Every structure is written in structure tokens, then in C-alpha cells.
Amino acid sequence: MPYLLLALGLATLVVTGDLLVRGAVGLSNRMGIPPLVIGLTVVAFGTSAPELVVSLSAAADGAPGLSIGNVVGSNITNILFVLGVPALFFSINCKQTGLRRSATFMVFVSVLLIILSLDRIVSFTDGLLLVSLLAGYLIYNGFEAMRMRKKGQAIEEIVEEIDDAPDDTRKITIYLIIGIIGLPLGGKLTTDSALDIASMMGIAESAVGLSIVALGTSLPEFAAGMAAALRRQSAVAIGNAVGSNIFNILSIVGVTSMIIPLKVEENFLAFDYWVMLLISIGILPLIFLHRNIGKVEGVIMASLYVIYLLIVFEVGHEMFNGSF
């Protein structure tokens, strides 16, 4: 039953999060807000809503391992799984405008998270710093996008565009209500069932956050990556993954720690943080050299993801039994 409830919780997060984004975009369109601003704010935050709700719910329930594990696991999943699996079918090119800058910033915020966690807690002040960096990142990208538009250059949004947002008031209202009510319910259901699964499997809560929950909350990014690859818009796929990783650290860890300070378990500083950092650095040569992520790279990335999950479950079992 906990597995079914977890699946239901994750499905609720994905569906209601999508409805909330579409409703918010529809409302923004009705209010005359430019699409660029919508893309950089409403859609960007909305696609990270499942991770944010789960992290807040877990922190409120006294499960910081699940909260941080969801973010770190999602970032690892976004690179190795969300990019690796589509690359098995379609080559992903790394020539997106501004991708070098965004990928470098992704590495920077990953290093910053490690530094802020060295005292084993991400505090309110740390969260304020992360949220401030997010605001600066959004403002910079907004000005850069407007500058490129004035020059007549093509613009690649840092997040996927929502093309079928509702345009009538009744539908917008329904989408927003379902999203606002459904997201917290999905987050609570996901958190409770994940903790039950951790207890049943005899593994630490952080292991569930790093694996099952992280994979589930990354499904929107995976779906977007597969759809982009099918449409031969592979630049959107990698831009979506990199942008999501930046938002996961700056918005989710930032906002959550400003509300509830997050204790950092030893396993994150000993292993998981470094995996996140190494794979973030690992894709930089492909991006800076404009190399494609092809089938070979896809096999390597997908294989590394499977190996990582096996290690997570093994370490999680040792932590649960107090031998780590």
C-alpha cells in the first residue's frame, strides 16, 4: 500500500503542478504580462513545484534527509537520467544560446551548497543568500533575453514554454484551484508514504529522497526532455535540465531553509553532494566544446545512474542499521 500511495502522491504532484502552471500562465496572459516574464518566473517556479512541496512537507515532518535528498537526487537524476535516456534514442546537441553561462552557474551553486552545508545546517541566512542569487539570476537572464530580442536573435527559454494555457476565466480558475489544493495534498501523501517505505525497506529516509522520490519529482523534466528530443529540439532538453538544477538549489533549498532550517546528514557531505558536483562538472566539456550527447554518452550516463542508485540503497541500509 505505501508504494501505491507514493505513486498516487507523485502523480498528484505532477498533474496538479502542471495545472497550476498552465492556470498561472493563462492568468498572466489575461493580465497582459509578457511571455518572457512568464517563462522566467511563473513557469520556472511552477516546474519545480513538486520538489518544493515535497521538501517543505518533509522538513515540516522532521525529515530533513528526505528534504535535501529530494533536491540532490533530482539534480543527479536530471543529468544522468533525464539527459542520458533520451540520448539513447536521439543525439542531444549542446549549442543552446547561454548554455555555457548557465552550466557554469549550475556548478557554482552546487559548490556553494556544499560550502553552506559544511556546518551541517542550511540556515535562514543561507537560504536568504540562495534566494537572492536566484533573483539575480532571473533578472540577469531577463535583461539578456531582452537584449537578444532587440538584436533580432533567437531566444531559447530557460524553461519549456506552455503553449496550451487556458484563455477563459472559468478554466483558469479551475486550474489554479486544483493546483493550489492538490500540490500540498500530493506533497503530504508523497512524504508520508516515502517515510513508510524507508521503514519497510530498512533504509534511511535520505535514500528514499535521493532515489524514488527524486525520480518521481523529475518526471516532468524527463517528459519534457523526451518530447524535445522527439521534436529534434535537443537544445531545449539540456537547457531544461540545467535550468531545473539551478532552480532546485536556489529556490527549493533556499525557500525551505528560510522557513525551516535544514540539518545536513553526514552522507550528503561524504558522498551525494560530490556526485552531484562531479556530474555537473562532467558535462561542462561537452557544453563548452559543443559536443553532442549521443548513444555512447547516453549509455554511460544511464549506467552511472543505475550504479548510483545501488550505492544509495546500500548506504541507506547501513545508515538505517547504524553502521554508516
Side-chain angles (χ1 to χ4, degrees), residues 21-277:
V21 170
R22 295 179 189 280
V25 171
L27 178 62
S28 301
N29 285 330
R30 289 293 296 270
M31 295 173 64
I33 298 175
L36 176 62
V37 176
I38 297 172
L40 288 169
T41 54
V42 176
V43 179
F45 277 105
T47 52
S48 292
E51 287 94 337
L52 177 58
V53 171
V54 169
S55 292
L56 282 171
S57 178
D61 287 347
L66 178 58
S67 183
I68 296 180
N70 179 38
V71 172
V72 176
S74 292
N75 280 20
I76 293 171
T77 302
N78 283 341
I79 299 297
L80 296 182
F81 181 77
V82 172
L83 290 181
V85 173
L88 296 175
F89 305 96
F90 306 99
S91 180
I92 299 176
N93 74 66
C94 302
K95 296 181 181 179
Q96 182 180 358
T97 303
L99 183 57
R100 291 177 177 179
R101 181 177 62 248
S102 294
T104 302
F105 190 62
M106 175 183 67
V107 173
F108 168 75
V109 297
S110 298
V111 172
L112 179 61
L113 177 60
I114 294 174
I115 293 173
L116 295 178
S117 301
L118 290 177
D119 59 355
R120 301 290 296 276
I121 189 168
V122 183
S123 65
F124 172 87
T125 305
D126 297 334
L128 183 61
L129 172 61
L130 294 174
V131 172
S132 299
L133 282 174
L134 175 63
Y137 174 74
L138 291 176
I139 292 171
Y140 176 83
N141 275 280
F143 280 117
E144 185 68 13
M146 287 187 286
R147 182 184 67 81
M148 293 170 61
R149 176 168 290 174
K150 288 179 180 178
K151 288 185 177 182
Q153 298 176 359
I155 298 176
E156 296 283 0
E157 299 289 0
I158 61 170
V159 290
E160 60 175 325
E161 292 185 9
I162 304 297
D163 296 323
D164 54 349
D167 54 7
D168 66 276
T169 304
R170 182 180 178 183
K171 205 169 187 178
I172 290 172
T173 303
I174 292 174
Y175 279 22
L176 290 175
I177 291 175
I178 294 176
I180 291 171
I181 295 175
L183 271 175
L185 291 176
K188 181 64 175 174
L189 188 58
T190 300
T191 301
D192 290 346
S193 55
L195 293 176
D196 288 341
I197 290 173
S199 179
M200 288 172 53
M201 295 178 65
I203 60 175
E205 63 193 34
S206 59
V208 178
L210 287 162
S211 55
I212 301 172
V213 177
L215 181 59
T217 55
S218 292
L219 289 178
E221 286 87 353
F222 176 69
M226 285 297 294
L230 286 169
R231 294 195 299 265
R232 300 297 193 274
Q233 295 176 333
S234 54
V236 176
I238 189 168
N240 184 52
V242 170
S244 178
N245 281 13
I246 293 172
F247 269 84
N248 283 346
I249 293 176
L250 297 184
S251 67
I252 297 173
V253 177
V255 171
T256 303
S257 60
M258 288 180 67
I259 299 174
I260 306 171
L262 296 172
K263 293 181 180 179
V264 181
E265 296 179 358
E266 184 180 347
N267 63 296
F268 291 117
L269 286 168
F271 180 66
D272 302 291
Y273 274 170
W274 302 106
V275 173
M276 177 183 69
L277 178 60

